[in-house]
Amino acid sequence: MKSMLEEIKNTSLSAIDSAYTLNDLEALRVKYLGKKGDLTSILKQMGGLSPEERPVIGQLANEIRTRIEDALENRAVEIKQAQLESKLREETLDVTIPGKKIFVGKKHPLATVWDEVTDIFIGMGYTVVEGPEVELSDYCFTKLNTPPGHPARDRQDTFYLTEEEDICLRTQTSSVQIRVMEHTSPPIRIISPGRVYRKDEVDATHSPMFHQVEGLVVDKGITMGDLKGTLNTLMQSLYGKDVITRFRPHHFPYTEPSCEVDMQCFECKGAGCRVCKEEGWIELLGAGMVHPKVLEGCGIDPDIYSGFAFGIGIDRLTMRRFNIRDLRLLFENDMRFLRQF
Ligand code: DAH
């Protein structure tokens, strides 16, 4: 019996030593010290011992029980410590490591100018409206006094979506003028920024998709003077109080009279240089007094009301604002370029 006890002691202690989890330890405790455990079942056989042997074996059994209990306890402490250490190692946080930089995006230069122009007009009491990019040719041309056969409807200039050519990608935001006038009675004071499309080859100053902001004012007694004052205010807000503008006669089918507006070259102050292609002036936009036929077509009486309209290229304004020489840079989405603004 003594040797059986010794055997239990040796096997249990070495098993405890090589246990790696608290669960393993608990299983060993049950195996050796539990009610049906190895040590218990030996003690149950003590009845068969002689009265001299009994206290000796009893004492030995108790000693072994204590040894096993101590071993279990010590090993449990070691396992917990090891678990704690590995957890600490895994969760180490080095607060001295520099943080990862989060790149906060910024506005595209086009969006900056778009928003600036919009803000200036909102400040003058205008409402912003949106129009569809896929447009009825009626709205893009016919109702703007540009009937079928007019050169502005040339296949070369326009993307048509149907064989009948009654639906197109709008070539100008002027289509929104018609949409607004058909559904609103004067006084009208709106701008409409948006994308437009033309069959242009891509180069430094052309793109088949670009941006315009349209403006329209219709009320009683609106004159060319109001148009000039409004556009001068816009240009001074964008380019500074010293900007010099020039209103030059032009032709658009939907305005009478029509004009183009230039600003004196900021680089050479009118003397002529590379920026203005030796002209001294830089073209900014088209404008004019809304043609009476256009008003009438939208149900507005031209004998009572008059109005002005204008269309500005946002891409051009942006290029001038940030001194960008090539339009393509605005659409290539090269972050090295865009991050500069
Ligand atoms: N739609 C013209 C263009 O795309 C610009 C323009 C000229 C708009 C005269 C107007 C206007 O509203 O009255 O070139």
Side-chain angles (χ1 to χ4, degrees), residues 172 174 177 198 212 214 252 254-255 286-288 309-311:
Q172 48 186 359
S174 303
Q177 289 186 32
R198 288 184 199 174
Q212 289 187 329
E214 193 75 13
F252 296 104
Y254 35 92
T255 41
F310 55 86

Side-chain angles (χ1 to χ4, degrees), residues 138-158:
D138 265 359
Y139 286 101
C140 198
F141 300 117
T142 315
K143 289 173 188 246
L144 284 163
N145 201 23
T146 313
H150 193 283
R153 304 182 66 147
D154 196 316
R155 269 175 191 278
Q156 298 301 308
D157 297 334
T158 318

Side-chain angles (χ1 to χ4, degrees), residues 15-32:
I16 289 167
D17 234 18
S18 46
Y20 277 103
T21 68
L22 294 173
N23 281 344
D24 291 349
L25 277 188
E26 177 58 15
L28 290 173
R29 194 190 61 76
V30 172
K31 177 169 163 45
Y32 293 108

Side-chain angles (χ1 to χ4, degrees), residues 33 39-40 60-70:
L33 305 180
L39 193 63
T40 320
L60 182 62
N62 275 335
E63 275 171 25
I64 292 176
R65 164 179 285 275
T66 311
R67 282 287 298 277
I68 296 177
E69 280 171 354
D70 287 351

Side-chain angles (χ1 to χ4, degrees), residues 144 171-175 177 196 198 210 212-216 227 250-260 283 285-290 308-313:
L144 284 163
T171 57
Q172 48 186 359
T173 44
S174 303
S175 52
Q177 289 186 32
V196 299
R198 288 184 199 174
F210 57 102
Q212 289 187 329
V213 56
E214 193 75 13
L216 173 70
L227 172 65
H250 198 74
H251 171 76
F252 296 104
Y254 35 92
T255 41
E256 181 56 39
S258 307
C259 62
E260 276 191 336
E283 184 200 318
L285 58 98
M289 299 304 292
V290 182
F308 67 74
F310 55 86
I312 314 171

Side-chain angles (χ1 to χ4, degrees), residues 13 16-17 19 22 25 66-82:
L13 291 182
I16 289 167
D17 234 18
L22 294 173
L25 277 188
T66 311
R67 282 287 298 277
I68 296 177
E69 280 171 354
D70 287 351
L72 284 168
E73 205 169 299
N74 291 340
R75 187 69 191 141
V77 170
E78 282 171 12
I79 290 175
K80 280 184 197 158
Q81 183 65 29

